[in-house]
């Protein structure tokens, strides 16, 4: 089977966010050979309040080695994030 651990995660807070603030989040992705990088940008009233990045790597659970991102995952991401 496949595992997909988070290999990297970071977030930069650019402005304070308070309870009740309406924050719009834009999400994008880039598919590599064996990983997917997700980027998110949060905006309040059009002003960026945070930027985040998460990298997920696909790993074979039998030997712990990275494997190519499955075609079905690539297709599903393209459909859902178009």
């Amino acid at each position: 089977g496949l595992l997909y651990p988070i290999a990297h995660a970071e977030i930069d807070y650019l402005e304070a966010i308070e309870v009740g603030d309406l924050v719009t989040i834009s999400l994008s992705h880039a598919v590599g050979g064996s990983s997917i990088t997700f980027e998110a940008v949060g905006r309040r009233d059009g002003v960026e309040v945070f930027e985040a990045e998460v990298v997920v790597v696909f790993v074979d659970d039998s030997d712990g080695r990275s494997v190519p991102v499955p075609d079905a995952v690539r297709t599903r991401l393209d459909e859902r994030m178009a």
Side-chain angles (χ1 to χ4, degrees), residues 10-74:
E10 69 178 85
I11 187 166
D12 291 318
Y13 295 98
L14 307 172
E15 297 281 336
I17 302 171
E18 297 182 14
V19 173
D21 285 351
L22 178 62
V23 177
T24 302
I25 300 172
S26 301
L27 184 64
S28 62
H29 72 283
V31 180
S34 62
S35 66
I36 302 173
T37 301
F38 294 96
E39 294 183 349
V41 175
R43 291 182 177 84
R44 181 191 58 231
D45 298 325
V47 176
E48 277 191 31
V49 293
F50 73 83
E51 299 173 338
E53 179 180 275
V54 176
V55 179
V56 176
V57 177
F58 286 78
V59 175
D60 185 316
D61 70 352
S62 66
D63 62 11
R65 293 179 183 249
S66 62
V67 297
V69 175
D71 289 338
V73 172
R74 292 173 187 268

